PDB file of all heavy atoms in Angstrom:
ATOM      1  N   LEU P 177      97.149  76.071 108.757  1.00  0.00           N
ATOM      2  CA  LEU P 177      95.741  76.425 108.933  1.00  0.00           C
ATOM      3  C   LEU P 177      94.851  75.555 108.048  1.00  0.00           C
ATOM      4  O   LEU P 177      93.819  75.039 108.492  1.00  0.00           O
ATOM      5  CB  LEU P 177      95.518  77.901 108.623  1.00  0.00           C
ATOM      6  CG  LEU P 177      94.080  78.399 108.664  1.00  0.00           C
ATOM      7  CD1 LEU P 177      93.476  78.228 110.056  1.00  0.00           C
ATOM      8  CD2 LEU P 177      94.012  79.844 108.233  1.00  0.00           C
ATOM      9  N   CYS P 178      95.260  75.343 106.797  1.00  0.00           N
ATOM     10  CA  CYS P 178      94.483  74.485 105.889  1.00  0.00           C
ATOM     11  C   CYS P 178      94.392  73.066 106.437  1.00  0.00           C
ATOM     12  O   CYS P 178      93.319  72.447 106.393  1.00  0.00           O
ATOM     13  CB  CYS P 178      95.117  74.477 104.496  1.00  0.00           C
ATOM     14  SG  CYS P 178      94.901  76.014 103.578  1.00  0.00           S
ATOM     15  N   ARG P 179      95.515  72.538 106.954  1.00  0.00           N
ATOM     16  CA  ARG P 179      95.493  71.178 107.518  1.00  0.00           C
ATOM     17  C   ARG P 179      94.536  71.100 108.704  1.00  0.00           C
ATOM     18  O   ARG P 179      93.811  70.118 108.857  1.00  0.00           O
ATOM     19  CB  ARG P 179      96.906  70.754 107.939  1.00  0.00           C
ATOM     20  CG  ARG P 179      97.819  70.427 106.781  1.00  0.00           C
ATOM     21  CD  ARG P 179      99.121  69.780 107.240  1.00  0.00           C
ATOM     22  NE  ARG P 179      99.873  70.593 108.195  1.00  0.00           N
ATOM     23  CZ  ARG P 179     100.764  71.522 107.867  1.00  0.00           C
ATOM     24  NH1 ARG P 179     101.010  71.781 106.599  1.00  0.00           N
ATOM     25  NH2 ARG P 179     101.412  72.200 108.803  1.00  0.00           N
ATOM     26  N   GLU P 180      94.541  72.136 109.555  1.00  0.00           N
ATOM     27  CA  GLU P 180      93.650  72.134 110.714  1.00  0.00           C
ATOM     28  C   GLU P 180      92.183  72.202 110.288  1.00  0.00           C
ATOM     29  O   GLU P 180      91.318  71.544 110.870  1.00  0.00           O
ATOM     30  CB  GLU P 180      93.987  73.301 111.640  1.00  0.00           C
ATOM     31  CG  GLU P 180      95.317  73.136 112.356  1.00  0.00           C
ATOM     32  CD  GLU P 180      95.716  74.350 113.169  1.00  0.00           C
ATOM     33  OE1 GLU P 180      94.955  75.345 113.202  1.00  0.00           O
ATOM     34  OE2 GLU P 180      96.796  74.310 113.783  1.00  0.00           O
ATOM     35  N   LEU P 181      91.888  72.988 109.267  1.00  0.00           N
ATOM     36  CA  LEU P 181      90.508  73.096 108.788  1.00  0.00           C
ATOM     37  C   LEU P 181      90.029  71.791 108.159  1.00  0.00           C
ATOM     38  O   LEU P 181      88.824  71.495 108.187  1.00  0.00           O
ATOM     39  CB  LEU P 181      90.386  74.241 107.783  1.00  0.00           C
ATOM     40  CG  LEU P 181      90.497  75.653 108.365  1.00  0.00           C
ATOM     41  CD1 LEU P 181      90.532  76.687 107.241  1.00  0.00           C
ATOM     42  CD2 LEU P 181      89.363  75.938 109.323  1.00  0.00           C
ATOM     43  N   CYS P 182      90.941  71.007 107.598  1.00  0.00           N
ATOM     44  CA  CYS P 182      90.564  69.733 106.971  1.00  0.00           C
ATOM     45  C   CYS P 182      89.892  68.786 107.966  1.00  0.00           C
ATOM     46  O   CYS P 182      89.053  67.970 107.578  1.00  0.00           O
ATOM     47  CB  CYS P 182      91.786  69.056 106.354  1.00  0.00           C
ATOM     48  SG  CYS P 182      92.292  69.773 104.773  1.00  0.00           S
ATOM     49  N   LEU P 183      90.256  68.894 109.247  1.00  0.00           N
ATOM     50  CA  LEU P 183      89.676  68.007 110.260  1.00  0.00           C
ATOM     51  C   LEU P 183      88.170  68.168 110.380  1.00  0.00           C
ATOM     52  O   LEU P 183      87.473  67.249 110.820  1.00  0.00           O
ATOM     53  CB  LEU P 183      90.321  68.277 111.621  1.00  0.00           C
ATOM     54  CG  LEU P 183      91.810  67.970 111.732  1.00  0.00           C
ATOM     55  CD1 LEU P 183      92.343  68.450 113.072  1.00  0.00           C
ATOM     56  CD2 LEU P 183      92.064  66.485 111.545  1.00  0.00           C
ATOM     57  N   TYR P 184      87.662  69.335 109.994  1.00  0.00           N
ATOM     58  CA  TYR P 184      86.236  69.636 110.177  1.00  0.00           C
ATOM     59  C   TYR P 184      85.533  69.919 108.851  1.00  0.00           C
ATOM     60  O   TYR P 184      84.492  70.547 108.828  1.00  0.00           O
ATOM     61  CB  TYR P 184      86.086  70.847 111.125  1.00  0.00           C
ATOM     62  CG  TYR P 184      86.816  70.631 112.428  1.00  0.00           C
ATOM     63  CD1 TYR P 184      88.056  71.191 112.658  1.00  0.00           C
ATOM     64  CD2 TYR P 184      86.262  69.816 113.415  1.00  0.00           C
ATOM     65  CE1 TYR P 184      88.736  70.973 113.851  1.00  0.00           C
ATOM     66  CE2 TYR P 184      86.938  69.584 114.608  1.00  0.00           C
ATOM     67  CZ  TYR P 184      88.172  70.163 114.812  1.00  0.00           C
ATOM     68  OH  TYR P 184      88.842  69.938 115.988  1.00  0.00           O
ATOM     69  N   SER P 185      86.112  69.455 107.758  1.00  0.00           N
ATOM     70  CA  SER P 185      85.598  69.794 106.432  1.00  0.00           C
ATOM     71  C   SER P 185      85.016  68.589 105.716  1.00  0.00           C
ATOM     72  O   SER P 185      85.355  67.441 106.019  1.00  0.00           O
ATOM     73  CB  SER P 185      86.724  70.396 105.580  1.00  0.00           C
ATOM     74  OG  SER P 185      87.233  71.553 106.195  1.00  0.00           O
ATOM     75  N   THR P 186      84.167  68.892 104.737  1.00  0.00           N
ATOM     76  CA  THR P 186      83.603  67.851 103.872  1.00  0.00           C
ATOM     77  C   THR P 186      84.674  67.419 102.870  1.00  0.00           C
ATOM     78  O   THR P 186      85.669  68.127 102.674  1.00  0.00           O
ATOM     79  CB  THR P 186      82.380  68.384 103.101  1.00  0.00           C
ATOM     80  OG1 THR P 186      82.829  69.434 102.224  1.00  0.00           O
ATOM     81  CG2 THR P 186      81.304  68.897 104.045  1.00  0.00           C
ATOM     82  N   PRO P 187      84.499  66.285 102.196  1.00  0.00           N
ATOM     83  CA  PRO P 187      85.493  65.854 101.198  1.00  0.00           C
ATOM     84  C   PRO P 187      85.750  66.915 100.116  1.00  0.00           C
ATOM     85  O   PRO P 187      86.904  67.112  99.700  1.00  0.00           O
ATOM     86  CB  PRO P 187      84.877  64.582 100.597  1.00  0.00           C
ATOM     87  CG  PRO P 187      84.033  64.034 101.710  1.00  0.00           C
ATOM     88  CD  PRO P 187      83.482  65.246 102.424  1.00  0.00           C
ATOM     89  N   GLU P 188      84.724  67.598  99.675  1.00  0.00           N
ATOM     90  CA  GLU P 188      84.903  68.642  98.654  1.00  0.00           C
ATOM     91  C   GLU P 188      85.719  69.802  99.215  1.00  0.00           C
ATOM     92  O   GLU P 188      86.607  70.331  98.542  1.00  0.00           O
ATOM     93  CB  GLU P 188      83.537  69.140  98.156  1.00  0.00           C
ATOM     94  CG  GLU P 188      83.602  70.287  97.168  1.00  0.00           C
ATOM     95  CD  GLU P 188      84.323  69.946  95.863  1.00  0.00           C
ATOM     96  OE1 GLU P 188      84.393  68.756  95.490  1.00  0.00           O
ATOM     97  OE2 GLU P 188      84.830  70.883  95.214  1.00  0.00           O
ATOM     98  N   GLU P 189      85.419  70.196 100.443  1.00  0.00           N
ATOM     99  CA  GLU P 189      86.175  71.278 101.072  1.00  0.00           C
ATOM    100  C   GLU P 189      87.633  70.866 101.295  1.00  0.00           C
ATOM    101  O   GLU P 189      88.547  71.673 101.124  1.00  0.00           O
ATOM    102  CB  GLU P 189      85.536  71.677 102.405  1.00  0.00           C
ATOM    103  CG  GLU P 189      84.193  72.350 102.248  1.00  0.00           C
ATOM    104  CD  GLU P 189      83.438  72.500 103.561  1.00  0.00           C
ATOM    105  OE1 GLU P 189      83.677  71.719 104.518  1.00  0.00           O
ATOM    106  OE2 GLU P 189      82.573  73.397 103.620  1.00  0.00           O
ATOM    107  N   ILE P 190      87.851  69.604 101.662  1.00  0.00           N
ATOM    108  CA  ILE P 190      89.213  69.096 101.845  1.00  0.00           C
ATOM    109  C   ILE P 190      89.977  69.183 100.532  1.00  0.00           C
ATOM    110  O   ILE P 190      91.138  69.597 100.500  1.00  0.00           O
ATOM    111  CB  ILE P 190      89.197  67.654 102.383  1.00  0.00           C
ATOM    112  CG1 ILE P 190      88.685  67.648 103.825  1.00  0.00           C
ATOM    113  CG2 ILE P 190      90.577  67.005 102.293  1.00  0.00           C
ATOM    114  CD1 ILE P 190      88.423  66.267 104.395  1.00  0.00           C
ATOM    115  N   ARG P 191      89.339  68.819  99.431  1.00  0.00           N
ATOM    116  CA  ARG P 191      89.990  68.898  98.121  1.00  0.00           C
ATOM    117  C   ARG P 191      90.384  70.340  97.808  1.00  0.00           C
ATOM    118  O   ARG P 191      91.496  70.607  97.345  1.00  0.00           O
ATOM    119  CB  ARG P 191      89.063  68.348  97.030  1.00  0.00           C
ATOM    120  CG  ARG P 191      89.726  68.212  95.657  1.00  0.00           C
ATOM    121  CD  ARG P 191      88.739  67.743  94.594  1.00  0.00           C
ATOM    122  NE  ARG P 191      87.681  68.707  94.338  1.00  0.00           N
ATOM    123  CZ  ARG P 191      87.842  69.838  93.667  1.00  0.00           C
ATOM    124  NH1 ARG P 191      89.005  70.168  93.184  1.00  0.00           N
ATOM    125  NH2 ARG P 191      86.817  70.659  93.488  1.00  0.00           N
ATOM    126  N   GLN P 192      89.496  71.274  98.095  1.00  0.00           N
ATOM    127  CA  GLN P 192      89.798  72.688  97.850  1.00  0.00           C
ATOM    128  C   GLN P 192      90.921  73.179  98.752  1.00  0.00           C
ATOM    129  O   GLN P 192      91.806  73.917  98.309  1.00  0.00           O
ATOM    130  CB  GLN P 192      88.542  73.536  98.049  1.00  0.00           C
ATOM    131  CG  GLN P 192      87.480  73.296  97.008  1.00  0.00           C
ATOM    132  CD  GLN P 192      86.156  73.972  97.338  1.00  0.00           C
ATOM    133  OE1 GLN P 192      85.941  74.452  98.439  1.00  0.00           O
ATOM    134  NE2 GLN P 192      85.258  74.004  96.351  1.00  0.00           N
ATOM    135  N   LEU P 193      90.908  72.772 100.010  1.00  0.00           N
ATOM    136  CA  LEU P 193      91.972  73.165 100.931  1.00  0.00           C
ATOM    137  C   LEU P 193      93.318  72.581 100.496  1.00  0.00           C
ATOM    138  O   LEU P 193      94.354  73.241 100.611  1.00  0.00           O
ATOM    139  CB  LEU P 193      91.634  72.732 102.357  1.00  0.00           C
ATOM    140  CG  LEU P 193      90.522  73.527 103.036  1.00  0.00           C
ATOM    141  CD1 LEU P 193      90.036  72.814 104.300  1.00  0.00           C
ATOM    142  CD2 LEU P 193      90.989  74.940 103.349  1.00  0.00           C
ATOM    143  N   GLU P 194      93.302  71.357  99.973  1.00  0.00           N
ATOM    144  CA  GLU P 194      94.541  70.756  99.470  1.00  0.00           C
ATOM    145  C   GLU P 194      95.051  71.511  98.245  1.00  0.00           C
ATOM    146  O   GLU P 194      96.259  71.675  98.076  1.00  0.00           O
ATOM    147  CB  GLU P 194      94.327  69.273  99.156  1.00  0.00           C
ATOM    148  CG  GLU P 194      94.197  68.426 100.407  1.00  0.00           C
ATOM    149  CD  GLU P 194      93.790  66.996 100.125  1.00  0.00           C
ATOM    150  OE1 GLU P 194      93.352  66.673  98.986  1.00  0.00           O
ATOM    151  OE2 GLU P 194      93.896  66.172 101.061  1.00  0.00           O
ATOM    152  N   GLN P 195      94.149  71.975  97.390  1.00  0.00           N
ATOM    153  CA  GLN P 195      94.561  72.794  96.253  1.00  0.00           C
ATOM    154  C   GLN P 195      95.198  74.098  96.729  1.00  0.00           C
ATOM    155  O   GLN P 195      96.202  74.545  96.164  1.00  0.00           O
ATOM    156  CB  GLN P 195      93.371  73.100  95.339  1.00  0.00           C
ATOM    157  CG  GLN P 195      92.906  71.933  94.511  1.00  0.00           C
ATOM    158  CD  GLN P 195      91.679  72.282  93.676  1.00  0.00           C
ATOM    159  OE1 GLN P 195      90.945  73.215  93.971  1.00  0.00           O
ATOM    160  NE2 GLN P 195      91.467  71.509  92.620  1.00  0.00           N
ATOM    161  N   ILE P 196      94.624  74.700  97.754  1.00  0.00           N
ATOM    162  CA  ILE P 196      95.199  75.928  98.308  1.00  0.00           C
ATOM    163  C   ILE P 196      96.584  75.641  98.878  1.00  0.00           C
ATOM    164  O   ILE P 196      97.527  76.414  98.662  1.00  0.00           O
ATOM    165  CB  ILE P 196      94.265  76.531  99.382  1.00  0.00           C
ATOM    166  CG1 ILE P 196      92.981  77.057  98.722  1.00  0.00           C
ATOM    167  CG2 ILE P 196      94.972  77.640 100.160  1.00  0.00           C
ATOM    168  CD1 ILE P 196      91.905  77.476  99.701  1.00  0.00           C
ATOM    169  N   GLN P 197      96.735  74.515  99.582  1.00  0.00           N
ATOM    170  CA  GLN P 197      98.039  74.144 100.120  1.00  0.00           C
ATOM    171  C   GLN P 197      99.067  73.974  98.999  1.00  0.00           C
ATOM    172  O   GLN P 197     100.198  74.443  99.111  1.00  0.00           O
ATOM    173  CB  GLN P 197      97.954  72.839 100.914  1.00  0.00           C
ATOM    174  CG  GLN P 197      97.296  72.978 102.263  1.00  0.00           C
ATOM    175  CD  GLN P 197      97.198  71.647 102.967  1.00  0.00           C
ATOM    176  OE1 GLN P 197      96.442  70.773 102.539  1.00  0.00           O
ATOM    177  NE2 GLN P 197      97.952  71.486 104.032  1.00  0.00           N
ATOM    178  N   ASN P 198      98.666  73.318  97.910  1.00  0.00           N
ATOM    179  CA  ASN P 198      99.576  73.127  96.771  1.00  0.00           C
ATOM    180  C   ASN P 198      99.951  74.471  96.153  1.00  0.00           C
ATOM    181  O   ASN P 198     101.106  74.690  95.778  1.00  0.00           O
ATOM    182  CB  ASN P 198      98.945  72.217  95.715  1.00  0.00           C
ATOM    183  CG  ASN P 198      98.858  70.786  96.174  1.00  0.00           C
ATOM    184  OD1 ASN P 198      99.602  70.350  97.044  1.00  0.00           O
ATOM    185  ND2 ASN P 198      97.935  70.040  95.602  1.00  0.00           N
ATOM    186  N   MET P 199      98.987  75.369  96.049  1.00  0.00           N
ATOM    187  CA  MET P 199      99.261  76.685  95.495  1.00  0.00           C
ATOM    188  C   MET P 199     100.234  77.453  96.399  1.00  0.00           C
ATOM    189  O   MET P 199     101.164  78.102  95.915  1.00  0.00           O
ATOM    190  CB  MET P 199      97.957  77.466  95.323  1.00  0.00           C
ATOM    191  CG  MET P 199      98.110  78.787  94.595  1.00  0.00           C
ATOM    192  SD  MET P 199      96.535  79.589  94.245  1.00  0.00           S
ATOM    193  CE  MET P 199      95.855  79.776  95.879  1.00  0.00           C
ATOM    194  N   LEU P 200     100.024  77.378  97.705  1.00  0.00           N
ATOM    195  CA  LEU P 200     100.928  78.040  98.640  1.00  0.00           C
ATOM    196  C   LEU P 200     102.340  77.466  98.548  1.00  0.00           C
ATOM    197  O   LEU P 200     103.328  78.200  98.606  1.00  0.00           O
ATOM    198  CB  LEU P 200     100.389  77.928 100.071  1.00  0.00           C
ATOM    199  CG  LEU P 200      99.115  78.706 100.372  1.00  0.00           C
ATOM    200  CD1 LEU P 200      98.542  78.307 101.725  1.00  0.00           C
ATOM    201  CD2 LEU P 200      99.365  80.203 100.305  1.00  0.00           C
ATOM    202  N   GLN P 201     102.438  76.150  98.384  1.00  0.00           N
ATOM    203  CA  GLN P 201     103.750  75.510  98.220  1.00  0.00           C
ATOM    204  C   GLN P 201     104.417  76.002  96.937  1.00  0.00           C
ATOM    205  O   GLN P 201     105.614  76.296  96.924  1.00  0.00           O
ATOM    206  CB  GLN P 201     103.610  73.984  98.190  1.00  0.00           C
ATOM    207  CG  GLN P 201     104.924  73.259  97.958  1.00  0.00           C
ATOM    208  CD  GLN P 201     105.916  73.486  99.069  1.00  0.00           C
ATOM    209  OE1 GLN P 201     105.561  73.452 100.242  1.00  0.00           O
ATOM    210  NE2 GLN P 201     107.171  73.729  98.723  1.00  0.00           N
ATOM    211  N   THR P 202     103.653  76.123  95.875  1.00  0.00           N
ATOM    212  CA  THR P 202     104.194  76.620  94.610  1.00  0.00           C
ATOM    213  C   THR P 202     104.685  78.056  94.767  1.00  0.00           C
ATOM    214  O   THR P 202     105.770  78.406  94.286  1.00  0.00           O
ATOM    215  CB  THR P 202     103.122  76.546  93.501  1.00  0.00           C
ATOM    216  OG1 THR P 202     102.717  75.185  93.346  1.00  0.00           O
ATOM    217  CG2 THR P 202     103.649  77.062  92.184  1.00  0.00           C
TER     218      THR P 202
END
Side-chain angles (χ1 to χ4, degrees):
L177 176 61
C178 288
R179 286 190 303 272
E180 290 174 1
L181 289 173
C182 282
L183 296 173
Y184 306 100
S185 301
T186 64
E188 176 62 24
E189 292 169 335
I190 291 171
R191 188 183 65 74
Q192 292 171 348
L193 288 166
E194 288 172 347
Q195 287 177 338
I196 291 171
Q197 286 178 291
N198 289 337
M199 187 173 59
L200 292 169
Q201 177 63 43
T202 300

